[in-house]
């Protein structure tokens, strides 16, 4: 099956120099009320913050890595554009007029599969194998080499069926040098090992994974430009943005999609 990149929608959005009437309003950041040290001992997640809206967010800032906030932000946008479940996210203002970080809301009422016994874990992944497979397909495209069971959280929907949420793109996309990263992911990566385990356990949904790639093929450079307008300038240089847009408009975009299709 061939995946082709659609033609741009005709929407032209420049990074700078637009008329005020055409200006995309930036996202307003949430103000930090309190900082909470991370209880998980993760190298990629150093702190949680509570914002003035009362919610708690996992915070990724430029101090944690020069491309980390942009990678998290863009991966969440790509996942949402493909209809994949991710937690609510927001820009976080760490101090008044201070640095802006990326925040992924710490969801209540969710279950970490690692806290369950093996049989319950299998039931959880088996019941939600469609969206889990789709999440992993996107991981292959953005070069996320660290998708494992602890990087999913689950909650029940109103029909009492498990629904997964993909969290943590700390080792994906621009952090790994996308689009010049090591690709495809090596067999030793956590992501590829997770895919292999699901396939061997009859918990891999190939059509759903392909659906995610078909949705991704519909994401154009115009979408990227729109997301860049919402993103703080310091997260990614103008040259970095132009480089990513040029790659997205090239045949390399479709070629990468085709390679992912071959490995899933």
């Amino acid at each position: 099956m061939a995946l082709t990149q659609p033609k741009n929608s005709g929407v032209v959005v420049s990074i700078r120099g637009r008329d005020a009437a055409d200006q995309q309003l930036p996202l307003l950041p949430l103000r930090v009320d309190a900082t909470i040290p991370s209880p998980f001992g993760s190298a990629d997640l150093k702190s949680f913050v509570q914002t003035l809206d009362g919610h708690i967010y996992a915070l990724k800032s430029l101090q944690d890595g020069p491309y980390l906030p942009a990678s998290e932000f863009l991966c969440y946008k790509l996942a949402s554009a493909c209809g994949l479940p991710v937690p609510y996210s927001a820009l976080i203002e760490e101090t008044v007029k201070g640095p802006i970080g990326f925040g992924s809301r710490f969801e209540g009422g969710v279950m970490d599969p690692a806290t369950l016994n093996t049989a319950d874990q299998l039931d959880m992944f088996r019941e939600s194998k469609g969206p889990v497979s789709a999440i992993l397909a996107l991981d292959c495209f953005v070069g996320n080499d660290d998708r494992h069971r602890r990087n999913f959280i689950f909650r029940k929907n109103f029909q009492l069926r498990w629904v997964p949420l993909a969290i943590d793109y700390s080792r994906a996309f621009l952090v790994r040098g996308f689009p010049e990263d090591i690709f495809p992911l090596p067999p030793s990566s956590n992501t590829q090992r997770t895919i292999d385990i699901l396939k061997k356990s009859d918990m891999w949904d190939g059509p759903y994974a392909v659906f995610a790639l078909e949705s991704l093929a519909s994401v154009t450079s115009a979408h990227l430009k729109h997301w860049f307008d919402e993103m703080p300038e310091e997260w990614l240089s103008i040259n970095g943005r132009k480089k990513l847009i040029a790659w997205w408009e090239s045949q390399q975009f479709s070629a990468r999609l085709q390679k992912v299709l071959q490995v899933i």
Side-chain angles (χ1 to χ4, degrees):
M1 178 180 179
L3 299 174
T4 58
Q5 182 185 18
K7 294 181 180 179
N8 271 331
S9 62
V11 178
V12 178
V13 186
S14 63
I15 295 175
R16 290 180 181 271
R18 292 174 302 166
D19 293 337
D22 296 328
Q23 183 73 32
Q24 173 69 32
L25 291 176
L27 297 177
L28 296 177
L30 294 173
R31 184 75 56 79
V32 169
D33 189 39
T35 300
I36 307 167
S38 172
F40 301 124
S42 169
D44 300 316
L45 178 56
K46 297 181 174 59
S47 64
F48 287 104
V49 294
Q50 180 174 312
T51 54
L52 293 178
D53 64 358
H55 287 283
I56 295 176
Y57 291 80
L59 179 66
K60 305 292 178 67
S61 69
L62 288 173
Q63 291 181 341
D64 301 322
Y67 294 111
L68 187 53
S71 288
E72 291 271 3
F73 178 86
L74 292 171
C75 284
Y76 269 57
K77 291 294 186 181
L78 286 170
S80 296
C82 295
L84 305 183
V86 290
Y88 175 79
S89 62
L91 303 185
I92 305 292
E93 189 174 40
E94 300 180 53
T95 59
V96 177
K97 297 183 180 180
I100 304 295
F102 173 84
S104 176
R105 190 162 68 190
F106 193 77
E107 301 284 347
V110 297
M111 181 69 70
D112 179 350
T115 63
L116 302 177
N117 61 44
T118 301
D120 288 339
Q121 283 187 42
L122 290 175
D123 287 342
M124 181 181 283
F125 278 94
R126 185 176 293 109
E127 192 170 284
S128 55
K129 67 179 184 178
V132 166
S133 300
I135 289 166
L136 283 156
L138 176 63
D139 286 325
C140 290
F141 179 83
V142 298
N144 182 13
D145 65 0
D146 196 37
R147 179 70 63 198
H148 50 82
R149 62 177 181 166
R150 295 300 303 263
N151 280 341
F152 292 95
I153 53 176
F154 291 79
R155 64 155 42 104
K156 293 274 192 178
N157 64 16
F158 80 97
Q159 295 176 319
L160 299 181
R161 294 184 60 84
W162 286 112
V163 177
L165 295 170
I167 59 174
D168 195 0
Y169 289 92
S170 296
R171 303 188 187 185
F173 211 49
L174 302 176
V175 172
R176 296 186 67 248
F178 183 98
E180 288 143 8
D181 52 330
I182 298 174
F183 179 80
L185 293 174
S188 60
S189 69
N190 283 331
T191 301
Q192 191 58 55
R193 290 169 61 187
T194 301
I195 291 174
D196 293 341
I197 290 171
L198 293 178
K199 287 181 176 179
K200 291 176 182 178
S201 305
D202 195 28
M203 291 189 292
W204 178 256
D205 192 329
Y208 218 122
V210 172
F211 164 76
L213 297 182
E214 289 176 338
S215 300
L216 185 57
S218 298
V219 176
T220 69
S221 60
H223 292 95
L224 282 185
K225 294 171 185 176
H226 178 77
W227 296 334
F228 286 157
D229 287 334
E230 298 180 344
M231 206 171 73
E233 290 187 4
E234 61 267 24
W235 283 6
L236 185 63
S237 69
I238 296 299
N239 286 337
R241 298 174 191 224
K242 289 181 177 179
K243 180 181 177 181
L244 188 55
I245 288 169
W247 182 89
W248 215 270
E249 293 174 341
S250 73
Q251 289 301 315
Q252 296 177 63
F253 174 88
S254 296
R256 186 162 177 130
L257 281 173
Q258 292 295 334
K259 288 182 180 179
V260 174
L261 187 63
Q262 293 170 8
V263 302
I264 63 171

